[in-house]
Amino acid sequence: MPSDPLSDYEQRMVWAYDALHHGDAVAAEAAMMEAVALVPDAAEARGALGALLRRQGRPVEAAEHFAAAATAEPVRPAWVLERARCLADAGDVEGAWALVSRLVVDRADDAASHRLAARLRLAQGDTAGALTHAREARFLAPHDLEGSVEVGQVLVDAGDPLAAAEMLEPLLAHAHPADPARAAALVLQGCAWAALAEGEKAARRWRQALEADPEDVGGAARLLAGLEAAAAAGGGDLTPTYIKALFDRYADRFDSDLTQKLRYQAPRLLRQALDAVGVGAGLDILDVGCGTGLGGVEVKPLARHLAGVDLSPRMVEHARARGLYDRLWDADLMGALAEAPGAWDLVLAADVLVYLGDLAPVFQAAVLALKPGGRLAATVERWEGEGPYALRESRRYAHAQEHVLAAAAAAGLAVEHLAPVAPRWEKSRPVDGLLFILRKAGA
């Protein structure tokens, strides 16, 4: 009596699941392959085989089986999503996006589709699109710790580690100690805190990750060792990510805190110094680290064209509301200086260089950005200890006067004005600072 292909298929699938239960992936794959040979359009066998191959790191083969499963069972969009994941794993970003872009329209309420869409948009260079999908995925599944790790990774990679750290905090507080996603979440939150220059918080999370996963699949020990090595070496400049997050958080109360609590007067002091050296009007001015535009208020009467740039998009929004600037954009200081060589009569840096250690690179960049005879006007906090500069507990650098002079000379900038000032107060005391105007040779 001839055998029944369907019955034989079902027997192979029983064998396959039994092999998986006992950890025998080789036997499971063999049984699934036999099942597929018996019934090629069986979505269950195709999908199970695709999942097994993907776990084994064979995404191209897995994608083929998920495609067959989707053809056999078109009413189940999960097969399409799994195929897209395999294509993404294999590096076929465009192929994966072609599938996912339809899924997020047809299944707008599916968090998993939005998570993959976020990852793909970031790979395509569309940071704004990645963040949109990441936030939608977070909204749709706010309590999914495993999914939140995927979302958080996109947020960190897209330059918003603060959002990742804040998203994971309550989830980790309520996570069961045995949750398999907990260790990965701890590692990721540590990475987010590290990006924000919160070294102690990062180290604490990585130590907790090691306790949760002694096998250290997430590499917490390596990350912790790197953090400790950097701390022993004295660290480096504050990261742009940290500065952006700091001022994005601070933007709404920036003006009131600075002018009332901290008695901030760096822009006014810079304007007085510029008047003292005889700077005229009709200037092309770049206000770097413009913040909410307090410096722009002071130098606007001197400007023919006033541009402002800040690392924090929320600060730029507040500056735009003043209606002072001819152009505003968010970018890092060095990139802004390099954007238009020889374009500026004046580069203003009020209370900005305190977030940099070595001033030599920025002075050299300023020389290239200035017109002949152009000026760099800035304030710093003054350092009188050992070394050219130091990072204080306030996470602001202080610079020795000798370092300012040496960096200026190395860049070919003449010191037109140098004076002690108190640009702001801190802890009810004036901050010891320096105000300087450096001039490029020429007209």
Side-chain angles (χ1 to χ4, degrees), residues 283-303:
L283 305 178
D284 293 322
I285 301 175
L286 176 62
D287 183 5
V288 294
C290 65
T292 60
L294 294 174
V297 172
E298 295 291 341
V299 299
K300 179 65 174 178
L302 305 177

Side-chain angles (χ1 to χ4, degrees), residues 426-438:
E426 190 172 283
K427 297 180 179 179
S428 302
R429 298 181 62 183
V431 171
D432 185 17
L434 290 170
L435 185 153
F436 54 84
I437 299 174
L438 310 178

Side-chain angles (χ1 to χ4, degrees), residues 54 59 63 77 79-105 112-124 133 150:
R54 185 177 183 229
W79 300 132
V80 178
L81 179 61
E82 291 302 323
R83 182 188 175 200
R85 284 175 172 155
C86 291
L87 293 176
D89 291 347
D92 185 0
V93 173
E94 297 306 321
W97 175 248
L99 298 172
V100 173
S101 61
R102 294 195 296 270
L103 282 177
V104 292
V105 173
S113 296
H114 283 287
R115 287 196 292 267
L116 182 55
R119 173 183 158 195
L120 293 170
R121 291 312 263 171
L122 191 61
Q124 292 170 324
H133 286 293
E150 190 175 353

